[in-house]
Amino acid sequence: MEKEELKIVNKDEEDEMELQGYRVCRWRVAVVSLGVLCTGGFLLLLLYWMPEWCVKATCTRTTVREAEVVLLQSTDDFKRWFLAKVPQIKKVSALVIFANILISFSLQIRYFTLHSTKYYWNDEVHNFEVLTGLEDREVTCSTVHSEHSTGLTSNQQEYRRLFFGVNEIAVKVPSVFKLLIKEVLNPFYIFQLFSVILWSADEYYYYAAAIVFMSVISIATSLYTIKKQYVTLHDMVSAHSIVRVSVCRANIEEALSTDLVPGDVMVIPSNGTIMPCDAVLISGTCIVNESMLTGESVPVTKTNLPNPGEGDKEGDAAYSMEEHKRHTLFCGTHVIQTRFYSGELVKAVVVRTGFSTAKGQLVRSILYPKPTDFKLYRDAYLFLLCLVAIAGIGFVYSIVLSIMNNTIIIESLDIITITVPPALPAAMTAGIVYAQRRLKRIGIFCISPQRINICGQLNLVCFDKTGTLTEDGLDLWGVQRVEKGTFHLSEENAYKDTLVKSQFVACMATCHSLTNIDGKLSGDPLDLKMFEATGWILEEATEEETSLHNRIMPTVVRPPKQLMPPEPVMSPEQDMELYDLSAYEIGIVRQFPFSSALQRMCVVARLLGEKRMDAYLKGAPEVVASLCKKDTVPEDFAEVLEDYTKQGFRVIALAHRRLESKLTWHKVQNVNRDQMEANMEFLGLIIMQNKLKAETSGVLQDLRRAHIRTVMVTGDNMLTAISVARDCGMIPPQDQVIIADALPPKDGQAAKITWRYADNPSKHVGKAPRLEINLEDVHHTQKPQDQYHFAMSGKSFAVITEHFQDLLQKLVLHGTVFARMAPDQKTELIEALQSVDYFVGMCGDGANDCGALKRAHGGISLSELEASVASPFTSRTPNISCVPSLIREGRAALITSFCVFKFMALYSIIQYISVTLLYSILSNLGDFQFLFIDIAIILLVVFTMSLNPAWKELVSRRPPSGLISGPLLFSVLTQILICLGFQTIAFLWVRHQAWYHIWTPQSDACNSSLRANLGPEHNSSEERDDHNIKNYENTSLFYVSSFQYLIVAIVFSKGKPFRQPSYKNWPFVVSCIGLYIFMFFIMFYPVSAIDEFLEVRNEWGIFIVFFAVSFALFSSLLSCCFQGGIDLWGAKCLSWLCCRRRKVPKARYMHLAQELSVDPDWPPKPTTTTEAKHPLPGNPPENGSSYQIMADS
């Protein structure tokens, strides 16, 4: 069959995949079916676990266009495989009106579905593509108004539904049977099934029954948890997923929301609704609560999409949900109320439906999470493979013994089930479950328990500023007005009768997005504080008033009567004052909402009685100043602004423009925003104070002491962010801050970065704890200069990411302040930090941090709203004190996982040694001996040794990230050798005693003997023990190994510095003491019923009891001494050896730190500029560098 190169779907996106086409081959299917029958179904299980093998075994390669089955592989580090069937070609008769002629034709549709997303074949690009909605057609804003405002015909609607399907986010709750089958087909449970069958065949009925009972409980618990999660998600999604909506077709008609398709026009009811889709407003205004998506509980005003008109082609941009989100109503958000004029309906054009919507993508991220990549889990699989290899050696050895002694070979398979413990997965998750419960008690909720272990490795935490490090609310510190291009002295507030009619106060009173909801002002906290500072009153027209008047102004603001002067005072500057003899009211005619990309908002307002309108602008000072006439901006603007921002104030600038009289109400509604926001007059500054939360400084200091880097990622001003970073201790007072100002290529010039140093920090302040990059793994001398930190804006970060890729990693190594960062840039920063091998935590309030919270190794949302459902962790405590708590619990859970894994590995090896030694005399442990060891000792110890709480404070050391490390492997190997040595000595020592002889029914030396070892003279008709359990060797090894399990548990139950000491874990202490007492009791005071149950007898002398006890005590002492020595000196010895060999550090950030520590040109000097190179095609840049550093002239 014809082959073709790999296709890429979802290119450059998070879920990018390679795609191959296959066609089912009948003879291959027949061969595989035969193989399934011959292997008793095992081959079918193997193909179920490995989808790529299944496809390659049953299909042949073909072109993607002709494929019946597609095989996809993710291009990320996990390289996951997915299988999808391409349904048979559908033939659809489509009716299209072209030039008033009705044309009917057949259409072929090929598609496959993966992760609730449909991929359709596109003949033009020869690949499968996802159809998201109206944006696929790249419609412009004017096209949305002109071509999509009237709705769809029935034919168009049916045609589009073929591609976009039903508008529903369907979270199907699987039946218990389906979940059960999926759970039981897990490789672990298949292995357990194999073990149970084997044990039953070998007559270990009680032990097999106990394992079955445990497995049933484990499966039932797992099914309950999974089912509960599905039901919770289903209920959350389906609460408002199907509603009745009004749709504009030929007429306005009622329809179910499931019938909506992109292009439909729906009417938003005046009393509000839950949006069933993503739609863009084309008329009217909506007040929306978007907490479900953003975590921001403050209602947002959504205005209609601007219509540039046919003449304005430059301003007619393509519609984009991200760029036009202030005009877009998102699925799942709550429309609280609507505003409309003269009976006009509030209409919105459906843009996306189903899983393509913003809410659908959020649900998809929960249903199909990205797998967790953690070295511990990879090493665990390698360790299990080593155990399987050891089991293989024992298996071969036992088979040889079986053949030599003519015994049943099936018993040889026991060795495999002994070496790979069936209880290992349950034991490994115990520590995580306990940590999750402890986190819940302190108000931290987790939806991804596996992330708890990863949080134990966090060595860098990013923090949002507003609402996270600082208080949510802002306080007005003062105002500084500008007149005739000169700053006035700063004033405490604008609540003065002398300012009531000034343009400055008019701008404060009108330039906001506040609205009345149930008689209470609601909106952005900054807008609220600014408006309250004026003392003005906001009134909105009622629904009845709006319908009675033509184009009535929806919102009116006016000052209180007590602020109005008794009689108007004339001023020579009439353009700067607003007058009305009767009433003084300002109506807001049009609103251009705040845009984080533009960093400003604007309104058009009109004073009652005036014909001319005014434009008021509010935003970031640098942006507002750039839009104003130069002569109205004070010369010392930059100095005044810098002075405020250095003190940590948040500064907002105001501007005003008197509009031309020709601009009528109708023209204002369609005018371009850029035209409105030009040639403004600068009015002055509003200075807001954002106080640090009380806990912030202390928590950051704790993190620095623990060698955990802290980074600020904010949407605020650069200098304000640097000031806050200094105030909270993120940047110590004596450290230098280097600001990177990057400019994109322009007029043929290459992109460049200008380095400037912030003001020299004070040297006399006491030094804060210093954070070195080297941490505990790398030792390099710091340069004889102050510690430095990079700071940059979102614009600079974008330029550096695009044009200075090899410089980006060096910058994030010391980057501490990232200001004016957009939500997607926060996510990019997290990825950049992870690319240099940092384990990154992210703490935010959920407002604009959803992407970053999901992408980080440990994302903690301080918001309890629905948006936090995407974050692995959610804290009820609204401050960052939850971060150290999470890291401490993560470290405790990680160390617990190591302890449990080492213990379970030693348990299987100890039992493997016992059984292998007994196999040499064709004996084995008894059914109830296995039962006692696995249930009474192992499970009890495992589930209690995991209960150690986290250590009370963060230490500078971090736990190891993987099992394959020198000290850890050395500790396991030494314990194995100690156990092997003592069991071998016990086994041989018993056989060499003078009183030892093979038991017979007549001698009654022990209980039973090997039938194979009996001489012909001992054969009798009496009942003999076929399994040869009751003999000297068995009893000796049973007692010695039982003590060894307890010794290893105590040795490996590590406490400080990551967990509380084991003696504080009373369930573990009680369990160990209880088991020791029981073991001593049955040895010193034999009880016949217990001896019969355990298949041991103690009539053979008190001497052997002391022998076993002395072995146990000596083994315990030796194990503790070895483990203590490894804990104290193991890491140091390995570090010394590594230093002698000059080992390169594994983590990339450590390697970079070593390189930069000897680089004379780093950090860049304040008089230098870094310029991007333009390498010629085929000519790579010298030394692999894409930039060059030049001194400023």
Side-chain angles (χ1 to χ4, degrees):
M1 281 304 236
E2 183 188 350
K3 293 184 181 180
E4 62 179 348
E5 61 182 17
L6 292 173
K7 298 286 186 184
I8 303 290
V9 293
N10 305 326
K11 192 170 179 63
D12 299 327
E13 293 180 24
E14 187 180 358
D15 53 350
E16 182 182 272
M17 291 177 288
E18 294 175 346
L19 182 144
Q20 304 171 34
Y22 286 86
R23 178 168 288 179
V24 177
C25 177
R26 291 183 179 178
W27 70 264
R28 288 193 178 197
V29 172
V31 171
V32 169
S33 301
L34 185 63
V36 170
L37 289 172
C38 293
T39 57
F42 180 73
L43 180 60
L44 187 64
L45 275 173
L46 200 62
L47 297 180
Y48 169 77
W49 294 331
M50 311 289 284
E52 68 275 23
W53 292 8
C54 178
V55 172
K56 290 175 182 177
T58 57
C59 305
T60 54
R61 277 290 297 273
T62 184
T63 59
V64 174
R65 193 187 191 289
E66 297 172 353
E68 296 175 359
V69 176
V70 289
L71 184 64
L72 301 103
Q73 185 182 28
S74 63
T75 56
D76 55 18
D77 297 335
F78 303 100
K79 303 294 180 186
R80 293 166 295 158
W81 291 93
F82 304 103
L83 160 68
K85 292 181 179 179
V86 182
Q88 294 296 319
I89 298 171
K90 290 184 179 180
K91 293 187 177 180
V92 182
S93 295
L95 297 174
V96 177
I97 297 175
F98 181 74
N100 295 324
I101 302 171
L102 198 65
I103 301 173
S104 176
F105 63 93
S106 293
L107 187 70
Q108 294 183 339
I109 300 175
R110 295 175 59 81
Y111 70 93
F112 66 89
T113 305
L114 181 70
H115 292 169
S116 301
T117 302
K118 283 188 177 180
Y119 295 79
Y120 290 91
W121 176 257
N122 187 338
D123 263 329
E124 292 181 6
V125 297
H126 300 289
N127 199 359
F128 284 95
E129 287 187 332
V130 179
L131 298 179
T132 55
L134 210 59
E135 288 174 288
D136 295 331
R137 301 183 62 181
E138 297 182 355
V139 294
T140 60
C141 295
S142 60
T143 307
V144 172
H145 282 278
S146 60
E147 296 180 13
H148 295 88
S149 58
T150 54
L152 302 174
T153 64
S154 297
N155 284 335
Q156 288 174 319
Q157 207 256 0
E158 288 175 14
Y159 175 69
R160 291 191 183 189
R161 193 180 294 125
L162 289 169
F163 292 96
F164 296 105
V166 176
N167 175 34
E168 187 180 9
I169 303 170
V171 179
K172 295 180 181 176
V173 180
S175 66
V176 174
F177 179 74
K178 281 186 178 179
L179 288 174
L180 178 64
I181 295 297
K182 190 175 181 180
E183 189 74 13
V184 168
L185 291 182
N186 185 296
F188 165 68
Y189 288 116
I190 295 298
F191 176 71
Q192 278 202 335
L193 179 64
F194 163 75
S195 303
V196 166
I197 293 169
L198 189 64
W199 294 328
S200 300
D202 211 16
E203 297 181 14
Y204 286 101
Y205 300 119
Y206 294 104
Y207 185 61
I211 293 298
V212 167
F213 177 73
M214 288 167 53
S215 299
V216 167
I217 291 174
S218 175
I219 290 171
T221 306
S222 179
L223 289 183
Y224 173 77
T225 306
I226 295 170
K227 182 87 172 178
K228 186 179 177 183
Q229 288 175 346
Y230 269 110
V231 169
T232 303
L233 186 60
H234 176 268
D235 292 346
M236 185 191 86
V237 171
S238 64
H240 305 284
S241 61
I242 302 176
V243 293
R244 294 201 71 83
V245 293
S246 299
V247 186
C248 299
R249 300 230 167 99
N251 298 303
I252 295 176
E253 58 185 64
E254 291 285 316
L256 283 173
S257 58
T258 49
D259 294 333
L260 292 174
V261 294
D264 265 329
V265 175
M266 64 177 291
V267 177
I268 312 296
S270 58
N271 59 344
T273 184
I274 301 288
M275 287 300 296
C277 59
D278 289 346
V280 58
L281 269 176
I282 54 172
S283 66
T285 305
C286 293
I287 311 297
V288 187
N289 183 344
E290 291 189 324
S291 60
M292 194 285 298
L293 286 180
T294 66
E296 183 61 71
S297 59
V298 176
V300 181
T301 302
K302 301 279 185 172
T303 57
N304 60 303
L305 186 73
N307 184 7
E310 296 178 5
D312 186 13
K313 289 188 178 179
E314 290 183 8
D316 194 11
Y319 169 75
S320 162
M321 281 183 65
E322 183 58 35
E323 290 180 19
H324 298 95
K325 61 183 178 184
R326 283 289 183 175
H327 313 290
T328 306
L329 304 171
F330 294 103
C331 179
T333 58
H334 182 203
V335 178
I336 301 169
Q337 58 186 4
T338 61
R339 296 271 187 271
F340 56 93
Y341 317 112
S342 63
E344 215 181 84
L345 296 173
V346 179
K347 296 179 184 177
V349 177
V350 176
V351 179
R352 292 185 181 184
T353 57
F355 276 100
S356 297
T357 63
K359 184 177 180 179
Q361 289 170 356
L362 180 67
V363 172
R364 278 186 68 234
S365 71
I366 299 167
L367 282 173
Y368 313 104
K370 197 174 181 180
T372 305
D373 181 27
F374 194 36
K375 196 170 184 292
L376 169 67
Y377 305 129
R378 282 180 276 137
D379 289 354
Y381 287 120
L382 288 174
F383 215 93
L384 280 175
L385 285 175
C386 293
L387 291 178
V388 170
I390 293 169
I393 296 168
F395 178 66
V396 172
Y397 165 73
S398 61
I399 281 182
V400 171
L401 283 177
S402 299
I403 293 170
M404 289 173 62
N405 293 279
N406 298 320
T407 56
I408 304 172
I409 294 178
I410 194 171
E411 292 185 0
S412 302
L413 294 170
D414 275 349
I415 204 82
I416 297 172
T417 65
I418 287 165
T419 314
V420 183
L424 181 61
M428 287 287 285
T429 56
I432 297 172
V433 171
Y434 295 145
Q436 189 176 5
R437 287 180 183 173
R438 289 195 296 269
L439 286 170
K440 191 175 180 181
R441 282 200 295 268
I442 60 175
I444 300 173
F445 298 91
C446 174
I447 62 166
S448 180
Q450 295 300 324
R451 296 279 186 115
I452 296 175
N453 268 346
I454 301 177
C455 287
Q457 278 293 304
L458 294 184
N459 53 5
L460 184 147
V461 183
C462 296
F463 293 97
D464 182 31
K465 184 180 81 71
T466 308
T468 304
L469 297 174
T470 61
E471 298 288 352
D472 266 323
L474 291 163
D475 296 317
L476 183 72
W477 182 85
V479 298
Q480 192 153 8
R481 294 182 298 119
V482 169
E483 284 186 12
K484 295 181 179 179
T486 308
F487 276 116
H488 283 240
L489 292 174
S490 61
E491 301 162 272
E492 281 190 24
N493 57 60
Y495 190 78
K496 298 176 181 177
D497 53 5
T498 54
L499 297 178
V500 70
K501 291 188 177 182
S502 65
Q503 297 285 11
F504 187 91
V505 171
C507 186
M508 289 178 67
T510 57
C511 198
H512 53 71
S513 56
L514 301 176
T515 184
N516 266 317
I517 298 175
D518 297 329
K520 186 179 179 182
L521 270 183
S522 185
D524 185 89
L526 187 147
D527 286 350
L528 207 54
K529 283 285 181 184
M530 182 182 72
F531 184 75
E532 286 172 354
T534 64
W536 284 39
I537 299 163
L538 181 141
E539 294 177 350
E540 289 178 322
T542 62
E543 198 173 306
E544 293 78 12
E545 290 172 334
T546 306
S547 58
L548 287 172
H549 296 80
N550 183 31
R551 305 299 187 187
I552 191 166
M553 290 177 282
T555 305
V556 172
V557 292
R558 58 179 175 80
K561 291 180 180 178
Q562 59 267 30
L563 274 183
M564 292 297 292
E567 55 184 40
V569 179
M570 297 299 291
S571 168
E573 297 167 2
Q574 294 192 6
D575 276 347
M576 292 297 291
E577 303 293 333
L578 303 171
Y579 300 102
D580 192 307
L581 293 175
S582 57
Y584 190 81
E585 291 182 352
I586 302 176
I588 300 169
V589 177
R590 189 177 178 196
Q591 193 181 84
F592 296 97
F594 175 78
S595 164
S596 55
L598 299 175
Q599 297 177 10
R600 63 182 185 266
M601 81 166 290
C602 179
V603 295
V604 178
R606 185 174 67 182
L607 178 65
L608 186 63
E610 287 281 338
K611 289 185 178 179
R612 293 176 68 178
M613 299 183 190
D614 299 273
Y616 295 104
L617 180 70
K618 174 193 76 176
E622 307 93 332
V623 174
V624 172
S626 68
L627 298 171
C628 292
K629 298 173 186 174
K630 287 187 178 179
D631 59 334
T632 65
V633 180
E635 292 181 2
D636 58 346
F637 164 76
E639 290 81 1
V640 171
L641 175 62
E642 188 172 351
D643 185 51
Y644 282 126
T645 52
K646 279 180 180 176
Q647 295 177 59
F649 292 116
R650 183 166 182 182
V651 184
I652 307 295
L654 306 181
H656 161 260
R657 175 186 167 193
R658 189 82 162 159
L659 299 179
E660 299 81 3
S661 55
K662 64 180 182 180
L663 276 175
T664 62
W665 194 99
H666 292 277
K667 289 182 179 178
V668 163
Q669 297 308 312
N670 297 313
V671 75
N672 186 284
R673 180 170 187 165
D674 293 334
Q675 294 174 347
M676 191 68 68
E677 296 173 344
N679 297 317
M680 308 290 285
E681 293 181 1
F682 195 77
L683 292 178
L685 305 173
I686 299 175
I687 301 98
M688 313 290 282
Q689 191 175 24
N690 195 198
K691 296 176 183 175
L692 281 176
K693 289 183 177 177
E695 302 82 6
T696 297
S697 298
V699 170
L700 293 180
Q701 191 175 9
D702 289 344
L703 293 175
R704 285 183 66 82
R705 271 200 295 260
H707 283 181
I708 296 171
R709 266 189 70 193
T710 52
V711 173
M712 185 189 295
V713 192
T714 178
D716 210 341
N717 174 278
M718 167 82 73
L719 294 175
T720 302
I722 292 172
S723 173
V724 172
R726 285 199 185 278
D727 289 344
C728 66
M730 194 175 280
I731 300 175
Q734 70 276 5
D735 287 2
Q736 187 68 265
V737 177
I738 306 170
I739 298 174
D741 284 328
L743 296 173
K746 190 177 180 182
D747 300 330
Q749 295 184 344
K752 63 180 181 180
I753 306 172
T754 304
W755 309 97
R756 59 188 177 93
Y757 282 38
D759 278 358
N760 289 329
S762 55
K763 303 283 182 182
H764 62 277
V765 183
K767 291 193 175 182
R770 178 153 314 228
L771 174 65
E772 303 290 351
I773 293 294
N774 55 357
L775 295 178
E776 70 273 10
D777 304 300
V778 145
H779 298 280
H780 64 270
T781 53
Q782 191 74 11
K783 293 185 189 181
Q785 63 180 39
D786 288 335
Q787 184 86 346
Y788 57 93
H789 304 258
F790 288 110
M792 68 190 76
S793 66
K795 288 180 180 177
S796 296
F797 180 77
V799 173
I800 292 167
T801 303
E802 185 176 354
H803 299 285
F804 299 89
Q805 266 292 334
D806 49 348
L807 189 62
L808 179 64
Q809 292 190 344
K810 296 180 182 179
L811 287 173
V812 298
L813 195 67
H814 282 274
T816 301
V817 175
F818 296 84
R820 299 291 189 207
M821 296 284 279
D824 58 331
Q825 288 178 326
K826 292 182 180 182
T827 308
E828 287 173 21
L829 174 62
I830 298 291
E831 290 173 343
L833 290 165
Q834 289 172 337
S835 71
V836 290
D837 295 340
Y838 273 115
F839 282 90
V840 185
M842 173 72 197
C843 183
D845 59 1
N848 289 309
D849 310 315
C850 287
L853 288 168
K854 281 166 56 182
R855 188 59 55 87
H857 291 110
I860 317 163
S861 171
L862 301 185
S863 166
E864 291 188 71
L865 298 169
E866 285 184 70
S868 65
V869 77
S871 176
F873 301 94
T874 306
S875 173
R876 273 188 182 165
T877 310
N879 59 61
I880 64 169
S881 61
C882 58
V883 175
S885 300
L886 178 60
I887 296 173
R888 284 190 298 105
E889 288 295 348
R891 289 180 174 186
L894 185 55
I895 286 297
T896 298
S897 295
F898 283 128
C899 294
V900 168
F901 197 92
K902 289 195 292 183
F903 173 69
M904 293 299 287
L906 258 295
Y907 144 66
S908 60
I909 293 295
I910 290 168
Q911 200 167 77
Y912 171 80
I913 293 168
S914 301
V915 171
T916 306
L917 288 171
L918 290 174
Y919 271 11
S920 67
I921 59 168
L922 299 183
S923 181
N924 201 348
L925 292 172
D927 193 359
F928 290 104
Q929 286 176 343
F930 276 124
L931 202 63
F932 175 77
I933 290 169
D934 286 9
I935 307 297
I937 297 180
I938 303 304
L939 286 184
L940 186 62
V941 166
V942 159
F943 289 120
T944 55
M945 76 185 294
S946 304
L947 285 169
N948 287 41
W951 187 242
K952 55 193 172 186
E953 61 186 31
L954 280 175
V955 294
S956 57
R957 281 175 57 195
R958 278 190 304 139
S961 60
L963 289 164
I964 313 299
S965 67
L968 196 146
L969 288 176
F970 189 60
S971 71
V972 170
L973 288 172
T974 52
Q975 293 301 325
I976 289 173
L977 292 174
I978 290 169
C979 294
L980 174 64
F982 276 99
Q983 285 203 46
T984 306
I985 292 169
F987 181 78
L988 296 174
W989 192 83
V990 167
R991 294 170 66 86
H992 284 84
Q993 295 309 303
W995 43 260
Y996 172 83
H997 59 86
I998 297 173
W999 180 89
T1000 65
Q1002 290 77 21
S1003 68
D1004 196 24
C1006 208
N1007 256 352
S1008 180
S1009 182
L1010 291 169
R1011 185 181 300 176
N1013 287 350
L1014 291 174
E1017 70 278 9
H1018 293 303
N1019 288 329
S1020 68
S1021 60
E1022 292 188 40
E1023 184 182 349
R1024 293 186 177 92
D1025 179 10
D1026 290 334
H1027 289 284
N1028 190 25
I1029 303 300
K1030 299 174 183 176
N1031 54 61
Y1032 286 112
E1033 293 89 345
N1034 172 285
T1035 303
S1036 300
L1037 291 181
F1038 171 70
Y1039 282 133
V1040 171
S1041 65
S1042 294
F1043 279 111
Q1044 284 181 339
Y1045 297 130
L1046 294 173
I1047 291 160
V1048 167
I1050 294 167
V1051 167
F1052 283 158
S1053 185
K1054 194 170 181 173
K1056 288 176 64 176
F1058 306 114
R1059 303 197 306 167
Q1060 295 283 354
S1062 293
Y1063 61 79
K1064 290 189 177 182
N1065 179 0
W1066 66 264
F1068 176 68
V1069 172
V1070 169
S1071 300
C1072 289
I1073 292 173
L1075 286 167
Y1076 267 119
I1077 291 171
F1078 177 77
M1079 293 300 299
F1080 282 127
F1081 175 77
I1082 63 173
M1083 290 175 73
F1084 282 103
Y1085 300 97
V1087 178
S1088 58
I1090 296 175
D1091 290 347
E1092 285 296 328
F1093 179 78
L1094 293 176
E1095 299 180 82
V1096 294
R1097 295 298 287 271
N1098 287 325
E1099 287 91 345
W1100 35 301
I1102 199 70
F1103 184 77
I1104 196 66
V1105 174
F1106 285 107
F1107 163 79
V1109 172
S1110 60
F1111 267 131
L1113 293 174
F1114 187 60
S1115 172
S1116 177
L1117 183 66
L1118 195 61
S1119 297
C1120 290
C1121 290
F1122 262 99
Q1123 189 62 35
I1126 290 165
D1127 288 343
L1128 281 173
W1129 305 105
K1132 291 180 181 177
C1133 291
L1134 281 168
S1135 178
W1136 179 76
L1137 288 170
C1138 290
C1139 288
R1140 286 176 64 86
R1141 289 185 299 159
R1142 301 197 177 189
K1143 186 181 176 184
V1144 176
K1146 290 181 181 178
R1148 283 179 228 173
Y1149 71 88
M1150 297 176 189
H1151 184 65
L1152 270 173
Q1154 278 189 344
E1155 288 182 354
L1156 296 178
S1157 66
V1158 294
D1159 186 348
D1161 295 326
W1162 195 265
K1165 306 296 183 292
T1167 56
T1168 55
T1169 298
T1170 302
E1171 193 170 286
K1173 290 181 182 177
H1174 286 299
L1176 296 171
N1179 251 349
E1182 294 178 23
N1183 304 322
S1185 175
S1186 62
Y1187 62 88
Q1188 56 187 348
I1189 300 175
M1190 303 175 297
D1192 283 350
S1193 54

